[in-house]
Amino acid sequence: MRLLHTSDWHLGRSFHGVGMLDAQRDFVDQLVACVQERSVNVVLIAGDVYDRALPGLDVVKLLDDALVRITAAGAQVVLTSGNHDSAIRLGFASRLLERGGVYLRTRVQDLDVPVLLPLDGGSQGTGSQKPDAGSPAGPAVLAVYGIPYLEPRLVAEELGVDTASHFEVTKAAVRRIREDIRQRSADGAIHSVVLAHTFASGGITSDSERDLSIGGLGAVPLDLFADFGYTALGHLHGRQELAPNVRYSGSPLAYSFSEATHRKGAWLLDVDESGIGAVEEIFWDAPRTLAVLRGKLTGLLDSEEHAWAESAYCQITLTDSQRPAQAMEQLRARFPDTLVLAFDPEGAQARSKKSYSSRMAEAVDDLGVCCGFLDHVRGRSAGETEQTALREALEAVRVEGAEL
C-alpha cells in the first residue's frame, strides 16, 4: 500500500494581496498526476485544508473538485481539520463521504476511530466497533488515525484533562489512540499511521504559520508520537523530518517570503505486512520563483546579478542612507511583481539612538519640526524645494492667524 502525506493546503489564501487559486489548482493537478503515476492508495491531508473558517464558494468548489479527482484516480483520502479550518463545517456529511472513500476526522470523539486498511487487499472500513478481546488473530491491518487541531480550552473537559494546554490535550488524545491499538492488536498485526495538526518540538517554523499559542507554549514533545509507525504532521510549512517516523510535509505552495528557499513537496510512504517501509520525497513545481533582494536602489536597478528576479515575486529591502523618491515605481520598472518593499538605511542604527521626541525637542523653530517629521517618516531629509514649500505654508498659516 502507498500513502502520500500532505498538509496545509490553505485553499483560498492570498500571497501579499495576490490571489493564489490558480496556483492551488495547479498543485491539485500535480497531486492527481502523482496519485495516478505512483499508484497512490491513500492521500493524507494533515489539517489546514482551508485558510479560513468561512471559505468562499470558489474555494469550496476547488476542494470538492480535488476530492472527486483524487478518488477517481483510485486513491482514498483521510483528512483532518487544522487551526485555520472550521472543524464543524469541514466535517459536514462525513459519514456520507466515507462511502466515496473520503474519511474526515474533525471531531474529538472520532480521534480513536481509525480508518482500517487491510494490507492483504481485503475491504477497508472504519474502526467504529471495538474488537473483542478473544477474537482470533487476523491479517495485518493499517490503522490510520486522525487527530484534529485541539484547542485546549475547548476540548480539555471532553478529553478528561485538568490543565488546558496543548501538551495535556495531545497526550490525552494519543493515550486514547494507543489504547485502541492495544485492543485491536489482539486480532492481528496493527500498523499505525497518525495524522496530527500541531507544533512538535524540533520543528522549524516560518513566518506564514500562525502561532498555536503565545510564547511557544503550544509545542508538544516529539516522543508523544514515538510508538506509532508513522506520524504525518501538519502546521509547519517547511517539509522536514523530525524523526524517521515523524515528519512534516509542509505546505504545497510558499505562503511567505521566509519560504523562498523551501523546496515544496510531500512524503510518499510504502506500507506492507511488516510495517512502514521506504519513505520518499515528492516535489511540487512552484508556480513562481520568490526573490528576496537587498541593496541600494541603483545597484538593484543596474546589476545583471538580479536579472533572474525580473519574473519573480519580490521582497526588496533598500539600504540607501536616504529613502529614494518613488522607490516602488522605479523598482517595478525592472521587477514588476515587487510585492513587499522595506527600508533599512545605512546609519539607521546610529540615528535611532535618539528617540523621535528628543530629536523634536532640539528643533529651533516650526520649520525644524516639520523637516524633522519628514525625516522620521520617510528616512530622507527635506530638500531645498520642500523646505521652501514648508516655509511658505507656515508663513501663510501665521498670516491667516493674525487676520483672525
Side-chain angles (χ1 to χ4, degrees):
M1 183 172 293
R2 185 162 281 175
L3 284 67
L4 184 66
H5 168 198
T6 74
S7 71
D8 296 273
W9 289 16
H10 285 280
L11 298 181
R13 189 159 189 163
S14 62
F15 185 82
H16 295 280
V18 177
M20 299 194 72
L21 270 182
D22 286 341
Q24 290 170 338
R25 290 188 186 98
D26 180 70
F27 154 66
V28 172
D29 291 343
Q30 295 183 61
L31 186 148
V32 172
C34 177
V35 169
Q36 294 171 329
E37 295 166 6
R38 302 303 301 271
S39 300
V40 173
N41 302 102
V42 184
V43 173
L44 310 176
I45 311 175
D48 280 355
V49 184
Y50 293 126
D51 191 57
R52 293 288 183 269
L54 290 171
L57 294 178
D58 51 351
V59 178
V60 175
K61 184 179 184 303
L62 177 55
L63 178 61
D64 178 56
D65 290 343
L67 296 177
V68 169
R69 294 177 63 193
I70 291 168
T71 52
Q76 299 175 80
V77 178
V78 182
L79 182 158
T80 62
S81 51
N83 56 303
H84 284 242
D85 302 307
S86 165
I88 294 175
R89 291 184 176 89
L90 187 61
F92 173 75
S94 59
R95 289 176 294 174
L96 183 62
L97 288 170
E98 286 188 2
R99 299 180 187 177
V102 177
Y103 298 86
L104 305 180
R105 291 295 180 266
T106 63
R107 306 186 308 164
V108 170
Q109 53 265 47
D110 292 334
L111 62 83
D112 59 348
V113 179
V115 180
L116 299 176
L117 304 167
L119 293 170
D120 64 348
S123 59
Q124 73 282 349
T126 58
S128 55
Q129 297 296 321
K130 299 293 182 180
D132 296 328
S135 301
V141 172
L142 177 65
V144 182
Y145 296 86
I147 303 176
Y149 169 68
L150 302 173
E151 173 54 52
R153 294 169 299 171
L154 300 180
V155 302
E157 182 177 355
E158 188 172 359
L159 286 169
V161 300
D162 297 326
T163 304
S165 70
H166 286 281
F167 168 66
E168 291 296 338
V169 297
T170 305
K171 182 171 69 172
V174 167
R175 186 185 305 117
R176 287 193 182 183
I177 294 173
R178 287 193 182 120
E179 175 59 21
D180 188 75
I181 292 173
R182 186 191 67 77
Q183 292 181 33
R184 293 183 188 281
S185 62
D187 285 349
I190 294 288
H191 302 298
S192 57
V193 168
V194 174
L195 285 71
H197 192 87
T198 190
F199 183 11
S201 57
I204 303 169
T205 63
S206 65
D207 290 346
S208 63
E209 300 104 14
R210 294 167 201 171
D211 290 341
L212 287 176
S213 65
I214 296 172
L217 297 179
V220 299
L222 190 61
D223 58 6
L224 277 182
F225 309 107
D227 296 341
F228 304 127
Y230 183 86
T231 300
L233 293 176
H235 182 57
L236 301 187
H237 289 184
R239 187 167 47 87
Q240 52 200 289
E241 175 185 336
L242 304 187
N245 66 328
V246 183
R247 303 177 189 232
Y248 281 99
S249 66
S251 59
L253 299 169
Y255 292 119
S256 75
F257 279 103
S258 68
E259 300 168 51
T261 59
H262 290 187
R263 182 72 194 278
K264 295 299 184 179
W267 297 107
L268 190 67
L269 295 73
D270 285 328
V271 188
D272 59 23
E273 293 186 359
S274 62
I276 307 297
V279 180
E280 178 185 348
E281 295 175 312
I282 295 293
F283 298 106
W284 311 127
D285 293 330
R288 292 288 290 271
T289 303
L290 302 186
V292 179
L293 306 179
R294 180 184 179 89
K296 294 184 177 179
L297 180 62
T298 302
L300 291 169
L301 294 177
D302 297 339
S303 174
E304 287 301 315
E305 175 187 354
H306 305 303
W308 65 273
E310 293 174 1
S311 60
Y313 287 140
C314 296
Q315 172 185 282
I316 298 178
T317 301
L318 293 179
T319 60
D320 300 77
S321 57
Q322 292 194 341
R323 186 176 301 200
Q326 297 181 317
M328 181 64 92
E329 290 81 354
Q330 294 188 66
L331 287 167
R332 282 182 171 168
R334 183 179 189 188
F335 309 107
D337 289 314
T338 300
L339 303 181
V340 178
L341 177 59
F343 296 90
D344 186 15
E346 294 177 349
Q349 186 174 3
R351 291 177 63 236
S352 65
K353 288 181 180 178
K354 282 188 177 182
S355 68
Y356 171 64
S357 59
S358 64
R359 294 203 307 272
M360 289 301 96
E362 296 173 358
V364 296
D365 55 18
D366 291 342
L367 180 62
V369 172
C370 293
C371 291
F373 176 74
L374 275 180
D375 187 17
H376 174 69
V377 298
R378 71 181 186 181
R380 185 175 78 249
S381 301
E384 184 176 342
T385 302
E386 292 170 323
Q387 289 188 38
T388 299
L390 287 169
R391 195 177 290 111
E392 292 174 352
L394 290 169
E395 181 61 26
V397 170
R398 277 193 289 268
V399 170
E400 183 177 348
E403 292 177 349
L404 294 175

